[in-house]
Amino acid sequence: MLKNDLDAVKIRWTENDVPHIEANNYGSLGFGYGYVHARDRLAEISAQAIVLRGERSKYYGAEQFSTIGFLKTTNLNSDLMFRLRMPAEWAKEELENLSDDARAYVVGYVNGLNHFVQSLTEEEWNERNSAEPLITFEPEDVIRSAMRFGIMKELIEIGPHLVASSGAWNSDLASKHHSCHGEDVIVEGGFGSNAWAFGGDVVEGEGAILLGNPHSAWQRTPHQQRIYMHQYHLTIPGELDVAGTSFLGFPLPLTGYNGDVSWSILDAATVTSFVLQLMNIQESALNPTYLMDGEQKPLELKEISIDVLEDHGGVETRCYHFLHSELGYLFKLPQRPGKPEGWYAITNPGERNARGINQFLAAAKTSTTKEFVEAISSHRGILCQLIVGDRHGDIAYVMAGNVPPITDVQMAQCHVGDREVAFNVLDGTRSECSFRGKEQRPLTASNSFYPNIFSRRIIHNANNSYKYTEYGVCQQDFPSVFGQHKPEYQVAKSIAAGLRFDPRLAMSAIRMKELSKAPSITPSNILEVLFDNRNYAAETFLSDILTYVQTTSSVSIQAAIKVLDNWDRKNNSDSRGALLFHLFWNKVVQLNILSMPSSGDPELGTQLDLNTESIDKIQKALDESVTELQQLGFELDTAWGHVLCKTENDETIPLHGGSYLEGVLNGEI
């Protein structure tokens, strides 16, 4: 038993090391979970606090790379991003805006973290993790962990150009920066969540069944602040009883359940959460201005200071200067697909928002699917999609974050006018196209703007939009900020993980069709959807590919064809051919010969363009894959689990599952 200054906290660990925390109030409950979270994940939490404070350069140098979420960039880009887009004053303001219960829980959580930290000797800390500095946590660290969800997507757009934007209007201020800061932000592939909810009209017995499959790690890799999960159970007798998993630094279950309701989280991959305003800037060393409603207005110059560990071992302060208008900071971006060169502002209703803490505390206390959706919708904070089911058999889909409240008509009226430009690039010279309100805060949409879906049959999602989330139903069109289903809005659009097709949703549609033919849906046949490791790409395309590839071209190609022909088209640990196909299919995807209908309807399937030219390319890709596999020292029919494996206590454990690119629902790589 641990005690803070107020109440007793009971903490119990199961034999599988899952903590159960019980207290009589939110402050004490937070204290208990903070202590537990520090015991289990202190290095990860410390590392994330440093990231979100914008201090990685101070400890690790500006030019080193790190992964934040699933986005890889330099420490300096990361620091500038979070200092610009999550300033300290916003974090303090959002802390005060929390409900009394949520704020008490956050403060207690931080006290629990620090209680554990203070109990460690330096030797104990170094034994745990010598790569991270030992810090004292602040409530604002938790606030930032909630705020980051609303702005992370911006990093892809502006991250590589933050340093270059500093002083770009004035040669005397222009940053002399290392070229690495201009490299594209890497979206690490192989990740993506799945979730299925089966309602009372299709399941055997009463209630709904939820299958959640967030593709997130449990263990940390240094310099990778990914979406690490932590499992726990929180109880305030008569008030709160919820279990589940949270993501690194967020102290409430984002996937979880109570006695009545269960839910799972998915990335809002298809959601356009902000718009880019193309500005008209008169660059000048002394008096830069911007055009708004026909008037030239002066730009404010703001300085951001970043402490940097330099090569000589000392920490020095670097100063970066940014232009600031009534639409916020401005960024000078180069020509990119769908984006013209120029100065841009960002209008993002997800900024300055830690309401996700209120959101998931309220959700944890709900007793029906309807109540859950209302709780999420009343405190929009975390940019994500959620699938939920309850013991009464009702299921639902809800978009949890903020989007710009802009209809397609309004978007078209404010678009820059070039048909080759992405639909969310708007005219930044008209205030009517800023979509901002009081004090220039981005406007937020009403609940009726969002495509919530209620059902008693089947809901499935694999980080896709709302459009085909209810199996067998095409939803009416909602504004394209929720998913670009109109051809004219698909400039520079990728459907999933940079692909022009979505193999996981297509495979899920196949499996839902098969399940629907069963007399009833049970937990056992639902689990098969996830764990039978069927490979969508192989099931759909491999037979045709093998038919067209010349069997007489070379001995190696003939050997490869034999292995692939005998393969079971699964990614089980003992499947022989999965390894060769994995290398081969990664090359096929890069050929840009795969597509889906512009609507994204998964039941229409994916098309592979097979013609003389593409067949030659496919054959070359197979030949290269054979050579690559042999150079790595593997036989063509090496079992999948021989390569996808984990070593524990000197024992090699074969694993199963496969790639997002191949449509394997049990995603592992």
Side-chain angles (χ1 to χ4, degrees):
M1 180 178 290
L2 302 170
K3 290 188 177 182
N4 66 3
D5 294 336
L6 298 175
D7 291 287
V9 181
K10 298 178 182 178
I11 302 175
R12 174 178 60 87
W13 281 272
T14 68
E15 62 180 15
N16 294 319
D17 211 31
V18 176
H20 297 253
I21 303 102
E22 180 178 333
N24 294 324
N25 59 62
Y26 285 101
S28 298
L29 187 71
F31 180 88
Y33 182 52
Y35 181 91
V36 163
H37 208 179
R39 168 204 182 258
D40 291 351
R41 297 284 193 272
L42 182 54
E44 291 95 319
I45 304 169
S46 299
Q48 180 176 261
I50 289 168
V51 168
L52 300 183
R53 290 176 182 181
E55 295 182 349
R56 276 197 62 84
S57 297
K58 175 181 177 180
Y59 294 104
Y60 309 110
E63 279 73 45
Q64 300 302 311
F65 281 76
S66 61
T67 300
I68 301 100
F70 298 128
L71 306 177
K72 184 177 181 180
T73 189
T74 64
N75 290 336
L76 180 56
N77 284 340
S78 171
D79 289 345
L80 286 170
M81 173 74 180
F82 291 118
R83 293 288 298 280
L84 287 166
R85 300 296 288 130
M86 295 197 315
E89 58 267 27
W90 288 7
K92 293 182 183 297
E93 178 184 293
E94 284 300 292
L95 177 64
E96 293 305 312
N97 287 338
L98 293 182
S99 69
D100 290 344
D101 288 342
R103 187 166 55 254
Y105 181 76
V106 166
V107 171
Y109 172 78
V110 170
N111 289 340
L113 290 175
N114 288 328
H115 180 86
F116 185 86
V117 169
Q118 292 160 9
S119 72
L120 291 174
T121 65
E122 184 175 353
E123 181 180 0
E124 288 172 330
W125 170 249
N126 289 332
E127 287 177 357
R128 283 173 161 267
N129 181 68
S130 59
E132 308 288 355
L134 194 60
I135 65 171
T136 298
F137 294 94
E138 302 168 351
E140 288 79 11
D141 293 321
V142 184
I143 298 300
R144 293 187 187 98
S145 74
M147 292 173 68
R148 65 181 164 140
F149 289 98
I151 65 161
M152 281 297 295
K153 285 189 174 185
E154 295 178 14
L155 186 61
I156 299 172
E157 295 282 355
I158 66 175
H161 315 295
L162 287 170
V163 179
S165 294
S166 174
W169 67 96
N170 181 347
S171 59
D172 292 335
L173 291 176
S175 299
K176 308 299 187 291
H177 62 278
H178 196 283
S179 61
C180 66
H181 302 301
E183 295 181 16
D184 286 346
V185 172
I186 298 172
V187 182
E188 293 196 340
F191 298 95
S193 303
N194 308 317
W196 297 266
F198 302 90
D201 290 353
V202 298
V203 302
E204 181 179 77
E206 298 180 357
I209 301 175
L210 182 81
L211 178 60
N213 179 223
H215 295 176
S216 301
W218 295 93
Q219 294 182 339
R220 174 178 181 263
T221 301
H223 303 296
Q224 291 185 335
Q225 281 62 247
R226 286 181 172 163
I227 311 296
Y228 296 109
M229 300 175 71
H230 186 244
Q231 184 177 5
Y232 54 98
H233 180 194
L234 302 173
T235 304
I236 298 177
E239 168 74 11
L240 177 73
D241 191 7
V242 63
T245 60
S246 62
F247 294 154
L248 179 60
F250 189 85
L252 290 163
L254 294 173
T255 65
Y257 60 93
N258 58 30
D260 302 296
V261 177
S262 180
W263 63 94
S264 192
I265 191 171
L266 303 115
D267 181 27
T270 63
V271 172
T272 301
S273 55
F274 58 87
V275 295
L276 296 164
Q277 278 108 354
L278 184 59
M279 309 292 286
N280 185 325
I281 303 299
Q282 294 297 313
E283 296 182 2
S284 166
L286 298 177
N287 186 32
T289 62
Y290 67 104
L291 181 66
M292 183 62 71
D293 296 330
E295 178 186 353
Q296 290 294 141
K297 296 185 177 184
L299 283 159
E300 185 180 1
L301 183 61
K302 292 197 174 186
E303 182 179 282
I304 301 293
S305 299
I306 303 292
D307 289 339
V308 176
L309 177 65
E310 302 290 2
D311 291 342
H312 55 67
V315 174
E316 296 182 359
T317 300
R318 299 186 192 177
C319 296
Y320 298 89
H321 303 84
F322 291 88
L323 296 177
H324 192 272
S325 74
E326 63 193 80
L327 302 185
Y329 286 105
L330 304 185
F331 308 99
K332 191 170 188 178
L333 307 181
Q335 174 76 36
R336 297 157 297 152
K339 315 283 172 59
E341 180 182 3
W343 286 94
Y344 285 85
I346 295 175
T347 292
N348 183 348
E351 71 180 21
R352 205 170 181 166
N353 183 354
R355 289 191 297 275
I357 299 172
N358 286 339
Q359 186 178 42
F360 279 87
L361 181 57
K365 297 188 284 186
T366 58
S367 58
T368 66
T369 288
K370 181 180 179 181
E371 286 181 7
F372 182 91
V373 172
E374 289 174 352
I376 294 297
S377 302
S378 299
H379 307 278
R380 293 192 188 278
I382 303 298
L383 182 63
C384 67
Q385 303 174 104
L386 296 161
I387 288 182
V388 57
D390 67 24
R391 64 185 179 88
H392 309 288
D394 295 320
I395 61 176
Y397 160 94
V398 56
M399 223 294 288
N402 294 102
V403 298
I406 309 175
T407 66
D408 287 2
V409 171
Q410 292 172 311
M411 197 77 81
Q413 290 172 343
C414 287
H415 190 252
V416 294
D418 186 337
R419 295 183 65 180
E420 299 303 313
V421 174
F423 82 102
N424 67 324
V425 176
L426 308 185
D427 183 353
T429 68
R430 292 184 284 156
S431 58
E432 65 180 323
C433 296
S434 69
F435 298 99
R436 291 170 179 254
K438 186 178 180 182
E439 298 179 347
Q440 292 298 327
R441 294 285 292 268
L443 297 175
T444 56
S446 65
N447 286 342
S448 62
F449 193 73
Y450 288 79
N452 297 336
I453 300 168
F454 292 88
S455 178
R456 287 184 60 85
R457 296 191 61 78
I458 300 175
I459 286 178
H460 65 148
N461 196 284
N463 293 356
N464 324 104
S465 78
Y466 68 94
K467 188 71 173 179
Y468 298 97
T469 285
E470 184 175 13
Y471 171 68
V473 177
C474 175
Q475 301 294 323
Q476 68 178 37
D477 273 345
F478 274 74
S480 292
V481 292
F482 295 110
Q484 297 95 280
H485 301 286
K486 299 176 181 178
E488 64 269 27
Y489 275 32
Q490 296 183 11
V491 174
K493 169 198 170 188
S494 62
I495 294 176
L499 304 177
R500 292 292 301 159
F501 70 107
D502 196 337
R504 284 188 301 142
L505 186 63
M507 174 54 92
S508 182
I510 291 171
R511 301 299 277 115
M512 295 307 99
K513 184 176 182 178
E514 293 169 352
L515 271 183
S516 297
K517 295 177 180 178
S520 63
I521 293 176
T522 66
S524 60
N525 58 23
I526 289 172
L527 285 173
E528 289 178 4
V529 171
L530 187 58
F531 292 122
D532 64 8
N533 295 311
R534 285 168 55 177
N535 188 304
Y536 169 77
E539 286 188 10
T540 308
F541 305 117
L542 185 54
S543 292
D544 286 343
I545 288 173
L546 295 180
T547 298
Y548 281 98
V549 171
Q550 295 293 323
T551 59
T552 59
S553 56
S554 69
V555 173
S556 62
I557 288 287
Q558 293 180 47
I561 290 172
K562 183 177 181 180
V563 169
L564 293 174
D565 196 32
N566 290 331
W567 173 38
D568 61 6
R569 274 61 166 176
K570 294 184 177 183
N571 284 69
N572 294 326
S573 59
D574 59 355
S575 293
R576 297 183 179 275
L579 178 59
L580 174 59
F581 186 79
H582 176 68
L583 293 177
F584 167 61
W585 193 251
N586 272 274
K587 300 181 190 303
V588 172
V589 168
Q590 303 305 315
L591 298 178
N592 294 318
I593 57 176
L594 289 152
S595 64
M596 273 190 75
S598 60
S599 67
D601 186 347
E603 296 206 55
L604 296 180
T606 309
Q607 287 77 47
L608 175 65
D609 184 13
L610 288 172
N611 54 48
T612 302
E613 182 180 356
S614 66
I615 291 167
D616 287 343
K617 292 179 179 179
I618 289 170
Q619 183 169 306
K620 181 181 178 182
L622 183 56
D623 198 21
E624 291 174 351
S625 301
V626 170
T627 300
E628 184 177 340
L629 198 59
Q630 290 172 338
Q631 288 175 344
L632 291 170
F634 295 113
E635 299 293 333
L636 297 184
D637 64 348
T638 296
W640 180 241
H642 182 78
V643 178
L644 186 70
C645 57
K646 181 176 178 60
T647 301
E648 278 296 331
N649 300 321
D650 297 324
E651 179 185 358
T652 299
I653 305 170
L655 301 177
H656 58 96
S659 168
Y660 187 116
L661 299 180
E662 295 160 59
V664 181
L665 296 175
N666 182 19
E668 287 292 343
I669 56 175

